[in-house]
Amino acid sequence: MTQRFLPYGRQALDEQDIEAVAEVLRGDWLTTGPTVDAFETAFAAACGAGHAIACSNGTTALHLALAALDVGPGDVCIVPAVTFMATANAARYCGADVVFADVDPETGLMTPETLDVALQVARLRGPVKAVLPVHLAGQCEDVAAMASLAHAAGAVLVEDACHAVGTRHEGEPVGACRHAVSACFSFHPVKTIAAGEGGAITTNDADMAERLRRLRSHGIERDPDRMQRQEGEPWWHEMVELGWNYRLSDIQAALALSQLKRLDHFAARRQELAGLYDTAFEAMAPRVQPLARTPDCEPCLHLYPVRIDFDAAGKDRTEVMEALRAQGIGSQVHYIPVPDQPYYLDLYGRQELPGAQRYYARTLSLPLFVGMEDGDPLRVADALKAALGG
Ligand SMILES: *Cc1c(COP(=O)(O)O)cnc(C)c1O
């Protein structure tokens, strides 16, 4: 009997999702229209934020968030070394420099301590405009403490919450922006809710929301009250700054809105599966351990990374991934430290970030998606045990 292949992540679509998209296709609007508005309203409410601005993907969300802060050449942004490269690239799109912060080797997260060190390095390079904590796998560190450090350095916090849709921190949903000026989300199919491609920024600052909407559509001002020319000509519009076409379509928004209705279910199911994994791995410590958990955080886990002592097992990660694949189990590494990518090595040279190196040396993400069955975590744990030599 061949067993069902388990990828490390995948979307969970149902007939309602398909019907929601079909309804938009039968209507008048394909690109940004009423369904984007409806999604923005629902997403802001789900996050407990004043405003949500939908855009084409998580990368453009990050770029817009930094552009709306006027991040530019000469400025510095602080990004944890362990993240998807888009977090750092967003700063580069603005012409700013990136200083990489080290991470806690047990969680992969930037901490107030590693941020403090990065701020000292950054001060020598230029004014720090933004600090971007990344909620890796869906977990949060102490955002309030990181915001205090950022503010003391004259910077603000922009959360990369692409992994953390549905996570609650200190009793509030991620995206509520109590300590950050904005939070950025992705609706790529492997993320917790899917739009195909899609992203959003949440903020409580009305002016910033206005500016983000303008920047996502070429910098065009549509509000007649805000225009320089007040002749009342019906065709008139003004491009007041340089923006982009980073819009989300109504087709994508329909899918995201339909998925958002099941977010509580998705979060509960991900927690349930993570609990089954945690139990299965109890007997395998310390050779295999789940990610260390952070306090005050109820994560909606986007990934299920484990820490593996490959040296103790006498196996390397390639062998283990291949053995899992032979059993129909996908796995992935999140992430190769971004400063080790050739582009960043050319730019900044090799950096000593021992926490990131230690995290990277041991991490492996195992399948975690809503459509997994109750028996799957044990199947994966058993296969991993066998792959590590029993
Ligand atoms: C997925 C992701 C992004 C980028 O999102 P896209 O929608 O793929 O552009 C940015 N940061 C992190 C941490 C991500 O995981």
Side-chain angles (χ1 to χ4, degrees):
M1 191 186 79
T2 51
Q3 288 188 294
R4 206 163 41 101
F5 181 75
L6 301 173
Y8 82 85
R10 63 160 293 142
Q11 69 274 18
L13 299 199
D14 68 7
E15 286 306 314
Q16 273 184 336
D17 294 326
I18 294 167
E19 188 45 45
V21 174
E23 210 176 298
V24 166
L25 293 175
R26 289 186 203 105
D28 294 330
W29 290 86
L30 293 186
T31 190
T32 316
T35 314
V36 167
D37 291 343
F39 173 66
E40 288 181 337
T41 303
F43 193 69
C47 293
H51 311 269
I53 297 85
C55 58
S56 50
N57 55 60
T59 306
T60 55
L62 288 159
H63 184 192
L64 287 172
L66 296 184
L69 292 169
D70 294 311
V71 170
D75 294 331
V76 175
C77 294
I78 295 182
V79 171
V82 174
T83 181
F84 183 56
M85 60 268 284
T87 325
N89 294 354
R92 298 294 301 144
Y93 299 154
C94 295
D97 272 304
V98 177
V99 166
F100 290 102
D102 205 3
V103 301
D104 178 336
E106 313 309 328
T107 63
L109 298 170
M110 177 167 75
T111 65
E113 292 72 30
T114 65
L115 172 57
D116 201 26
V117 173
L119 281 165
Q120 288 167 37
V121 174
R123 268 183 212 116
L124 308 173
R125 297 265 288 278
V128 184
K129 271 277 178 68
V131 172
L132 293 102
V134 175
H135 305 319
L136 189 74
Q139 290 209 103
C140 296
E141 248 299 337
D142 188 343
V143 181
M146 291 193 282
S148 305
L149 288 166
H151 297 163
V156 294
L157 228 57
V158 172
E159 292 172 76
D160 181 339
C162 288
H163 291 191
V165 182
T167 291
R168 299 181 69 84
H169 185 239
E170 292 178 339
E172 279 186 319
V174 163
C177 295
R178 178 175 296 276
H179 305 289
V181 291
S182 57
C184 300
F185 294 88
S186 165
F187 311 122
H188 181 279
V190 299
K191 307 288 163 72
T192 299
I193 64 174
E197 295 278 353
I201 307 140
T202 59
T203 181
N204 293 317
D205 180 331
D207 290 338
M208 179 169 291
E210 200 61 46
R211 181 140 187 233
L212 287 164
R213 288 211 166 82
R214 201 163 67 208
L215 287 170
R216 86 171 162 193
S217 196
H218 308 285
I220 295 171
E221 181 59 68
R222 300 234 171 242
D223 180 353
D225 294 341
R226 289 173 184 253
M227 289 184 194
Q228 292 174 20
R229 184 174 160 126
Q230 296 284 342
E231 310 296 318
E233 299 132 325
W235 67 85
W236 191 253
H237 56 270
E238 291 179 353
M239 178 188 142
V240 296
E241 62 180 327
L242 186 63
W244 301 271
N245 175 359
Y246 283 173
R247 294 185 303 262
L248 188 72
S249 72
D250 264 26
I251 305 170
Q252 294 161 313
L255 181 52
L257 180 59
S258 179
Q259 290 254 297
L260 185 61
K261 292 178 183 148
R262 298 210 301 290
L263 179 59
D264 289 347
H265 162 65
F266 288 172
R269 183 63 184 150
R270 285 174 174 276
Q271 270 325 93
E272 216 164 54
L273 291 163
L276 292 168
Y277 267 131
D278 291 350
T279 307
F281 286 127
E282 272 166 19
M284 288 173 72
R287 205 168 46 154
V288 179
Q289 290 176 276
L291 207 59
R293 293 292 146 81
T294 55
D296 306 318
C297 183
E298 297 164 57
C300 174
L301 289 182
H302 153 58
L303 298 171
Y304 191 87
V306 287
R307 297 167 286 163
I308 301 178
D309 190 341
F310 291 101
D311 293 339
K315 304 273 178 187
D316 71 26
R317 190 157 42 194
T318 303
E319 286 176 85
V320 171
M321 288 179 78
E322 283 170 358
L324 288 174
R325 179 156 286 272
Q327 298 298 317
I329 296 166
S331 59
Q332 192 48 276
V333 173
H334 297 96
Y335 293 96
I336 301 165
V338 182
D340 293 348
Q341 294 292 348
Y343 169 81
Y344 285 104
L345 278 178
D346 284 351
L347 207 56
Y348 301 127
R350 197 163 286 284
Q351 296 174 51
E352 279 303 308
L353 297 166
Q357 290 308 330
R358 179 155 171 75
Y359 181 82
Y360 169 59
R362 294 182 303 161
T363 195
L364 191 66
S365 299
L366 302 176
L368 183 68
F369 56 92
V370 166
M372 281 171 77
E373 290 165 14
D374 286 348
D376 288 335
L378 192 58
R379 175 187 151 197
V380 174
D382 284 345
L384 181 60
K385 191 172 177 189
L388 290 168

